[in-house]
Amino acid sequence: LIGEGADAAEKLLALMKKGDTRIVKLQEEMQQDRSFAKHIWRDFVPRAALHFIESVDNPQYQCPPYLGIPQEAEQHVDKVLAVQRELDEKRADFADILRKIREELMGQLTQLRLKRRGIVVPMAGEGLPYFWLTAVRNVPDPELWQAVTDRDELALKYVTDITWQYVESRQGMSEPEDTDFLMAPQQRGFKLEIAFANSPFFTNDKLWVEFSWKSGDVQSKASGIQWKEGQCITARQRDIGAKGKATRFRTSMFKLFEPTRAASSGQGLWDDHEKLAMALHFKVEVVPNAVQHYCRDPENDGLEGNFDDDLGDDTDSDEDEEEEEEEEEEE
Protein backbone atom coordinates (compact mmCIF):
# COMPACT_ATOMS: atom_id res chain seq x y z
CA LEU A 1 0.00 0.00 0.00
CA ILE A 2 2.72 2.51 0.94
CA GLY A 3 5.90 0.61 0.12
CA GLU A 4 9.07 0.85 2.19
CA GLY A 5 11.71 3.45 2.79
CA ALA A 6 11.99 6.86 4.41
CA ASP A 7 8.97 8.30 2.63
CA ALA A 8 6.58 5.50 3.76
CA ALA A 9 5.42 7.44 6.82
CA GLU A 10 4.67 10.52 4.73
CA LYS A 11 2.64 8.47 2.26
CA LEU A 12 0.66 6.90 5.08
CA LEU A 13 -0.08 10.30 6.62
CA ALA A 14 -1.25 11.64 3.26
CA LEU A 15 -3.60 8.70 2.73
CA MET A 16 -5.06 9.13 6.25
CA LYS A 17 -5.76 12.81 5.60
CA LYS A 18 -7.56 11.95 2.35
CA GLY A 19 -9.71 9.39 4.14
CA ASP A 20 -8.58 6.64 1.80
CA THR A 21 -10.94 3.64 2.10
CA ARG A 22 -7.97 1.30 2.35
CA ILE A 23 -6.71 3.15 5.40
CA VAL A 24 -10.17 3.08 6.98
CA LYS A 25 -10.30 -0.65 6.43
CA LEU A 26 -6.83 -1.03 7.92
CA GLN A 27 -7.89 0.94 11.02
CA GLU A 28 -10.94 -1.31 11.45
CA GLU A 29 -8.77 -4.40 11.20
CA MET A 30 -6.35 -2.98 13.76
CA GLN A 31 -9.27 -2.34 16.14
CA GLN A 32 -10.38 -5.93 15.68
CA ASP A 33 -6.83 -7.09 16.37
CA ARG A 34 -6.79 -5.11 19.64
CA SER A 35 -10.11 -6.66 20.65
CA PHE A 36 -8.79 -10.10 19.75
CA ALA A 37 -5.61 -9.49 21.75
CA LYS A 38 -7.67 -8.54 24.81
CA HIS A 39 -9.67 -11.77 24.40
CA ILE A 40 -6.45 -13.76 24.17
CA TRP A 41 -5.05 -12.38 27.42
CA ARG A 42 -8.32 -12.65 29.37
CA ASP A 43 -9.52 -16.03 28.19
CA PHE A 44 -7.21 -17.86 25.82
CA VAL A 45 -3.93 -17.64 27.71
CA PRO A 46 -5.28 -19.00 31.05
CA ARG A 47 -6.97 -21.86 29.15
CA ALA A 48 -4.44 -22.32 26.37
CA ALA A 49 -4.00 -26.03 26.96
CA LEU A 50 -7.73 -26.69 26.94
CA HIS A 51 -8.34 -24.62 23.80
CA PHE A 52 -5.42 -26.16 21.96
CA ILE A 53 -6.29 -29.77 22.74
CA GLU A 54 -9.98 -29.27 21.92
CA SER A 55 -9.06 -27.84 18.51
CA VAL A 56 -6.63 -30.62 17.54
CA ASP A 57 -7.40 -34.14 16.43
CA ASN A 58 -4.08 -35.91 16.72
CA PRO A 59 -2.49 -37.65 14.84
CA GLN A 60 -4.39 -36.39 11.76
CA TYR A 61 -3.46 -32.84 12.69
CA GLN A 62 -2.63 -30.50 9.83
CA CYS A 63 -1.30 -27.02 10.51
CA PRO A 64 -3.91 -24.48 9.33
CA PRO A 65 -2.17 -22.10 6.91
CA TYR A 66 -3.41 -19.03 8.75
CA LEU A 67 -1.42 -20.04 11.83
CA GLY A 68 1.78 -19.52 9.88
CA ILE A 69 3.34 -22.78 11.08
CA PRO A 70 5.73 -24.28 8.50
CA GLN A 71 5.11 -27.87 7.51
CA GLU A 72 8.54 -28.85 8.84
CA ALA A 73 7.42 -27.71 12.28
CA GLU A 74 4.54 -30.18 12.45
CA GLN A 75 6.68 -32.81 14.14
CA HIS A 76 7.36 -30.37 16.97
CA VAL A 77 3.64 -29.68 17.23
CA ASP A 78 3.00 -33.43 17.51
CA LYS A 79 5.53 -33.65 20.33
CA VAL A 80 4.04 -30.77 22.29
CA LEU A 81 0.57 -32.27 21.80
CA ALA A 82 1.75 -35.56 23.27
CA VAL A 83 3.18 -33.79 26.31
CA GLN A 84 0.06 -31.67 26.66
CA ARG A 85 -2.13 -34.78 26.65
CA GLU A 86 -0.04 -36.16 29.48
CA LEU A 87 -0.49 -32.92 31.39
CA ASP A 88 -4.25 -33.03 30.86
CA GLU A 89 -4.42 -36.63 32.05
CA LYS A 90 -2.47 -35.78 35.20
CA ARG A 91 -4.63 -32.73 35.75
CA ALA A 92 -7.75 -34.89 35.44
CA ASP A 93 -6.27 -37.39 37.91
CA PHE A 94 -5.42 -34.55 40.29
CA ALA A 95 -8.96 -33.14 40.12
CA ASP A 96 -10.46 -36.61 40.60
CA ILE A 97 -8.36 -37.29 43.69
CA LEU A 98 -9.22 -33.91 45.19
CA ARG A 99 -12.90 -34.43 44.43
CA LYS A 100 -12.91 -37.81 46.19
CA ILE A 101 -11.10 -36.36 49.20
CA ARG A 102 -13.55 -33.46 49.31
CA GLU A 103 -16.58 -35.75 49.10
CA GLU A 104 -15.25 -37.91 51.91
CA LEU A 105 -14.34 -34.99 54.17
CA MET A 106 -17.54 -33.09 53.43
CA GLY A 107 -19.52 -36.18 54.42
CA GLN A 108 -17.61 -36.37 57.70
CA LEU A 109 -18.10 -32.64 58.33
CA THR A 110 -21.84 -32.98 57.71
CA GLN A 111 -22.09 -35.83 60.21
CA LEU A 112 -20.13 -33.87 62.81
CA ARG A 113 -22.33 -30.79 62.32
CA LEU A 114 -25.44 -32.94 62.78
CA LYS A 115 -23.88 -34.48 65.88
CA ARG A 116 -23.15 -31.01 67.29
CA ARG A 117 -26.68 -29.89 66.53
CA GLY A 118 -28.04 -32.99 68.30
CA ILE A 119 -26.20 -31.91 71.44
CA VAL A 120 -27.18 -28.25 71.18
CA VAL A 121 -30.84 -28.84 70.31
CA PRO A 122 -31.68 -32.49 71.07
CA MET A 123 -34.98 -34.05 70.07
CA ALA A 124 -35.78 -34.48 73.77
CA GLY A 125 -34.37 -32.60 76.73
CA GLU A 126 -33.09 -29.09 77.25
CA GLY A 127 -29.80 -29.27 75.34
CA LEU A 128 -27.76 -26.08 75.68
CA PRO A 129 -30.20 -23.24 76.34
CA TYR A 130 -29.81 -20.30 73.97
CA PHE A 131 -26.64 -21.76 72.47
CA TRP A 132 -26.59 -19.60 69.33
CA LEU A 133 -27.71 -16.46 71.11
CA THR A 134 -24.91 -16.90 73.65
CA ALA A 135 -22.37 -17.66 70.94
CA VAL A 136 -23.30 -14.51 69.05
CA ARG A 137 -23.19 -12.39 72.22
CA ASN A 138 -19.69 -13.69 72.98
CA VAL A 139 -18.19 -12.80 69.61
CA PRO A 140 -15.65 -10.01 70.28
CA ASP A 141 -16.64 -8.02 67.23
CA PRO A 142 -17.87 -4.43 67.74
CA GLU A 143 -19.07 -4.18 64.13
CA LEU A 144 -21.39 -7.13 64.69
CA TRP A 145 -22.83 -5.57 67.81
CA GLN A 146 -23.54 -2.29 66.14
CA ALA A 147 -26.26 -4.16 64.24
CA VAL A 148 -27.49 -6.67 66.84
CA THR A 149 -30.05 -5.00 69.13
CA ASP A 150 -31.85 -6.12 72.28
CA ARG A 151 -34.90 -6.83 70.11
CA ASP A 152 -32.77 -9.05 67.88
CA GLU A 153 -31.62 -11.02 70.91
CA LEU A 154 -35.22 -11.85 71.81
CA ALA A 155 -35.63 -13.42 68.37
CA LEU A 156 -32.23 -15.16 68.49
CA LYS A 157 -33.45 -17.17 71.49
CA TYR A 158 -35.36 -19.38 69.07
CA VAL A 159 -32.46 -20.18 66.75
CA THR A 160 -31.85 -23.91 66.37
CA ASP A 161 -29.06 -23.80 63.82
CA ILE A 162 -26.97 -21.44 61.68
CA THR A 163 -25.31 -22.80 58.56
CA TRP A 164 -23.80 -21.61 55.32
CA GLN A 165 -22.78 -23.32 52.11
CA TYR A 166 -21.25 -22.40 48.79
CA VAL A 167 -23.70 -21.91 45.97
CA GLU A 168 -23.19 -24.31 43.08
CA SER A 169 -22.59 -21.66 40.46
CA ARG A 170 -19.83 -21.18 37.93
CA GLN A 171 -19.46 -17.49 38.82
CA GLY A 172 -18.03 -16.80 35.38
CA MET A 173 -14.89 -18.80 36.09
CA SER A 174 -13.15 -20.58 33.22
CA GLU A 175 -11.80 -23.55 35.14
CA PRO A 176 -13.61 -26.93 34.84
CA GLU A 177 -16.43 -27.62 37.27
CA ASP A 178 -14.51 -30.41 38.99
CA THR A 179 -12.14 -27.82 40.48
CA ASP A 180 -14.75 -25.26 41.55
CA PHE A 181 -14.10 -26.08 45.19
CA LEU A 182 -10.53 -24.81 44.80
CA MET A 183 -11.70 -21.30 43.94
CA ALA A 184 -10.86 -18.57 46.43
CA PRO A 185 -13.72 -18.05 48.94
CA GLN A 186 -14.16 -14.39 48.00
CA GLN A 187 -14.85 -15.46 44.42
CA ARG A 188 -17.65 -17.86 45.28
CA GLY A 189 -21.29 -17.23 46.00
CA PHE A 190 -22.67 -18.56 49.27
CA LYS A 191 -25.93 -18.93 51.16
CA LEU A 192 -26.37 -18.18 54.86
CA GLU A 193 -29.33 -19.82 56.60
CA ILE A 194 -30.70 -19.45 60.14
CA ALA A 195 -33.26 -21.99 61.39
CA PHE A 196 -35.83 -21.20 64.08
CA ALA A 197 -38.28 -23.16 66.22
CA ASN A 198 -41.64 -21.71 67.31
CA SER A 199 -40.62 -18.08 66.88
CA PRO A 200 -43.27 -15.68 68.22
CA PHE A 201 -42.01 -12.98 65.85
CA PHE A 202 -42.42 -14.46 62.37
CA THR A 203 -43.85 -17.53 60.67
CA ASN A 204 -40.67 -18.48 58.78
CA ASP A 205 -38.97 -21.68 59.92
CA LYS A 206 -35.81 -20.52 58.14
CA LEU A 207 -34.41 -17.18 57.09
CA TRP A 208 -31.76 -17.11 54.37
CA VAL A 209 -29.73 -14.74 52.25
CA GLU A 210 -27.73 -15.69 49.18
CA PHE A 211 -24.84 -13.86 47.52
CA SER A 212 -23.41 -14.08 44.03
CA TRP A 213 -21.01 -12.03 41.95
CA LYS A 214 -21.64 -10.58 38.50
CA SER A 215 -19.04 -8.55 36.64
CA GLY A 216 -17.10 -8.25 39.87
CA ASP A 217 -19.98 -6.79 41.88
CA VAL A 218 -21.93 -8.55 44.63
CA GLN A 219 -25.64 -9.26 44.32
CA SER A 220 -27.97 -10.67 46.96
CA LYS A 221 -31.40 -12.19 47.33
CA ALA A 222 -33.18 -13.07 50.56
CA SER A 223 -36.06 -15.07 51.95
CA GLY A 224 -37.96 -12.07 53.28
CA ILE A 225 -39.62 -12.17 56.72
CA GLN A 226 -43.27 -12.94 57.36
CA TRP A 227 -43.79 -10.93 60.55
CA LYS A 228 -46.58 -11.79 62.95
CA GLU A 229 -48.92 -8.96 63.81
CA GLY A 230 -47.30 -6.42 66.11
CA GLN A 231 -44.00 -8.33 66.25
CA CYS A 232 -41.89 -6.67 63.53
CA ILE A 233 -38.32 -6.17 64.72
CA THR A 234 -36.92 -4.23 61.78
CA ALA A 235 -39.52 -1.42 61.83
CA ARG A 236 -41.74 0.33 64.38
CA GLN A 237 -45.49 -0.16 64.13
CA ARG A 238 -46.05 3.47 63.24
CA ASP A 239 -43.75 3.04 60.21
CA ILE A 240 -45.71 0.09 58.82
CA GLY A 241 -48.38 0.97 56.25
CA ALA A 242 -51.87 -0.42 55.83
CA LYS A 243 -50.63 -3.14 53.47
CA GLY A 244 -48.07 -4.32 56.00
CA LYS A 245 -45.07 -2.75 54.23
CA ALA A 246 -42.65 -0.67 56.25
CA THR A 247 -41.70 2.78 54.98
CA ARG A 248 -38.81 3.22 57.39
CA PHE A 249 -36.51 0.66 58.98
CA ARG A 250 -34.50 0.75 62.19
CA THR A 251 -31.26 -0.85 63.34
CA SER A 252 -31.47 -4.65 63.27
CA MET A 253 -29.38 -7.55 62.04
CA PHE A 254 -32.61 -9.00 60.62
CA LYS A 255 -32.44 -6.42 57.83
CA LEU A 256 -30.11 -9.02 56.37
CA PHE A 257 -33.22 -10.95 55.30
CA GLU A 258 -35.32 -7.97 54.22
CA PRO A 259 -35.26 -6.52 50.66
CA THR A 260 -32.22 -4.52 49.62
CA ARG A 261 -32.22 -0.75 49.48
CA ALA A 262 -32.39 -0.85 45.68
CA ALA A 263 -35.39 -3.22 45.66
CA SER A 264 -37.56 -1.26 48.11
CA SER A 265 -38.51 2.33 48.80
CA GLY A 266 -38.19 1.86 52.57
CA GLN A 267 -35.67 4.09 54.30
CA GLY A 268 -32.88 2.51 56.33
CA LEU A 269 -32.51 -0.76 54.41
CA TRP A 270 -29.10 -2.21 53.61
CA ASP A 271 -27.57 -2.43 50.16
CA ASP A 272 -25.88 -5.60 48.86
CA HIS A 273 -22.46 -4.65 50.25
CA GLU A 274 -23.81 -3.91 53.73
CA LYS A 275 -25.65 -7.23 53.71
CA LEU A 276 -22.49 -9.03 52.64
CA ALA A 277 -20.49 -7.42 55.46
CA MET A 278 -23.02 -8.67 58.03
CA ALA A 279 -23.27 -12.15 56.50
CA LEU A 280 -19.49 -12.53 56.55
CA HIS A 281 -19.50 -12.05 60.33
CA PHE A 282 -21.60 -15.22 60.57
CA LYS A 283 -19.79 -17.12 57.79
CA VAL A 284 -16.24 -16.39 58.97
CA GLU A 285 -16.58 -15.98 62.73
CA VAL A 286 -19.86 -17.16 64.27
CA VAL A 287 -20.54 -20.48 62.53
CA PRO A 288 -17.05 -22.07 62.48
CA ASN A 289 -16.22 -20.91 66.02
CA ALA A 290 -19.65 -21.23 67.64
CA VAL A 291 -18.61 -23.67 70.37
CA GLN A 292 -15.49 -21.64 71.19
CA HIS A 293 -17.55 -18.45 71.53
CA TYR A 294 -20.23 -20.17 73.58
CA CYS A 295 -17.62 -21.46 76.02
CA ARG A 296 -16.25 -17.96 76.59
CA ASP A 297 -19.22 -17.34 78.87
CA PRO A 298 -22.03 -19.95 78.75
CA GLU A 299 -24.19 -17.79 81.03
CA ASN A 300 -23.99 -14.74 78.78
CA ASP A 301 -27.40 -15.07 77.16
CA GLY A 302 -28.46 -11.54 78.15
CA LEU A 303 -31.81 -12.82 79.36
CA GLU A 304 -31.60 -12.53 83.12
CA GLY A 305 -34.82 -12.67 85.08
CA ASN A 306 -38.22 -12.44 83.42
CA PHE A 307 -38.50 -11.16 79.89
CA ASP A 308 -41.38 -10.58 77.53
CA ASP A 309 -41.21 -11.50 73.85
CA ASP A 310 -44.02 -9.08 73.01
CA LEU A 311 -42.40 -6.00 71.50
CA GLY A 312 -45.43 -3.84 72.13
CA ASP A 313 -45.19 -0.34 70.70
CA ASP A 314 -41.54 0.18 71.75
CA THR A 315 -42.37 3.61 73.17
CA ASP A 316 -39.51 3.49 75.65
CA SER A 317 -36.87 3.27 72.94
CA ASP A 318 -38.36 5.63 70.35
CA GLU A 319 -36.28 8.64 71.36
CA ASP A 320 -33.00 6.69 71.31
CA GLU A 321 -33.81 5.20 67.90
CA GLU A 322 -34.72 8.57 66.46
CA GLU A 323 -31.35 9.93 67.59
CA GLU A 324 -29.59 6.95 65.97
CA GLU A 325 -31.51 7.43 62.72
CA GLU A 326 -30.69 11.14 62.64
CA GLU A 327 -26.99 10.31 63.05
CA GLU A 328 -27.16 7.74 60.23
CA GLU A 329 -28.87 10.23 57.93
CA GLU A 330 -26.20 12.85 58.67
CA GLU A 331 -23.48 10.34 57.78
Side-chain angles (χ1 to χ4, degrees):
L1 178 60
I2 60 175
E4 299 179 357
D7 60 343
E10 294 181 2
K11 292 181 180 180
L12 178 60
L13 181 60
L15 289 172
M16 292 177 66
K17 289 181 178 179
K18 291 179 180 180
D20 189 283
T21 56
R22 293 171 296 177
I23 297 298
V24 172
K25 184 177 180 181
L26 179 60
Q27 289 175 325
E28 292 177 351
E29 291 177 350
M30 291 176 65
Q31 182 63 36
Q32 292 176 357
D33 288 343
R34 282 195 292 269
S35 177
F36 181 65
K38 183 185 294 184
H39 170 71
I40 286 178
W41 283 109
R42 287 187 176 180
D43 179 64
F44 187 84
V45 172
R47 305 180 65 195
L50 298 178
H51 284 305
F52 199 55
I53 288 300
E54 289 172 1
S55 66
V56 174
D57 185 16
N58 193 64
Q60 289 79 31
Y61 174 74
Q62 294 294 324
C63 296
Y66 59 82
L67 288 181
I69 302 177
Q71 291 296 318
E72 59 268 19
E74 286 192 23
Q75 58 180 334
H76 298 295
V77 173
D78 291 339
K79 290 179 180 179
V80 75
L81 281 173
V83 174
Q84 186 60 56
R85 285 196 175 90
E86 279 191 67
L87 287 173
D88 287 347
E89 289 176 2
K90 294 300 180 183
R91 181 179 180 280
D93 292 341
F94 175 67
D96 187 55
I97 292 172
L98 289 178
R99 184 169 54 250
K100 290 179 179 178
I101 293 174
R102 174 179 180 265
E103 290 174 354
E104 180 181 351
L105 292 179
M106 289 300 292
Q108 295 176 6
L109 289 173
T110 299
Q111 292 300 317
L112 288 171
R113 281 195 292 265
L114 292 174
K115 186 175 181 179
R116 183 181 71 176
R117 182 178 180 180
I119 297 172
V120 173
V121 187
M123 297 299 293
E126 296 183 358
L128 294 176
Y130 313 130
F131 171 83
W132 286 104
L133 168 60
T134 305
V136 171
R137 284 183 58 85
N138 287 338
V139 174
D141 188 338
E143 291 185 4
L144 177 63
W145 283 102
Q146 286 179 1
V148 179
T149 68
D150 292 342
R151 294 179 301 274
D152 294 337
E153 292 183 15
L154 293 177
L156 291 175
K157 288 195 315 177
Y158 300 94
V159 173
T160 58
D161 202 8
I162 304 178
T163 59
W164 69 269
Q165 61 181 352
Y166 284 124
V167 179
E168 296 300 328
S169 176
R170 299 293 295 124
Q171 300 296 333
M173 302 298 291
S174 60
E175 286 300 310
E177 293 185 15
D178 57 13
T179 56
D180 271 2
F181 62 92
L182 296 177
M183 291 161 54
Q186 64 270 22
Q187 295 176 321
R188 301 190 63 184
F190 69 95
K191 181 178 183 180
L192 174 70
E193 187 175 271
I194 302 182
F196 296 82
N198 304 317
S199 172
F201 299 98
F202 39 76
T203 60
N204 309 65
D205 292 329
K206 294 180 180 179
L207 298 178
W208 57 266
V209 60
E210 184 176 312
F211 298 92
S212 59
W213 274 259
K214 185 176 181 180
S215 300
D217 198 16
V218 65
Q219 296 179 339
S220 70
K221 57 182 179 180
S223 60
I225 307 177
Q226 303 300 318
W227 297 106
K228 294 182 179 180
E229 186 175 357
Q231 296 299 309
C232 181
I233 292 175
T234 56
R236 290 188 295 260
Q237 291 302 304
R238 69 186 189 189
D239 293 326
I240 299 176
K243 295 183 179 181
K245 292 186 177 181
T247 58
R248 189 174 186 180
F249 292 81
R250 57 187 175 182
T251 302
S252 171
M253 61 152 280
F254 282 92
K255 289 193 292 185
L256 185 61
F257 309 104
E258 296 278 19
T260 59
R261 184 183 304 166
S264 174
S265 58
Q267 298 181 17
L269 286 170
W270 286 339
D271 60 25
D272 291 320
H273 294 278
E274 290 171 316
K275 282 193 170 191
L276 176 62
M278 173 54 62
L280 287 176
H281 288 298
F282 286 90
K283 175 179 179 288
V284 176
E285 188 61 46
V286 176
V287 175
N289 303 311
V291 173
Q292 174 186 343
H293 291 311
Y294 177 84
C295 292
R296 287 175 182 272
D297 186 357
E299 302 298 323
N300 184 26
D301 53 30
L303 303 172
E304 298 178 1
N306 296 324
F307 48 82
D308 187 358
D309 288 342
D310 191 348
L311 297 176
D313 57 8
D314 291 337
T315 54
D316 293 338
S317 60
D318 280 355
E319 293 182 0
D320 292 338
E321 288 181 3
E322 288 174 356
E323 290 179 0
E324 291 177 1
E325 289 166 357
E326 288 176 0
E327 292 177 358
E328 292 175 358
E329 290 175 358
E330 289 176 358
E331 292 176 357

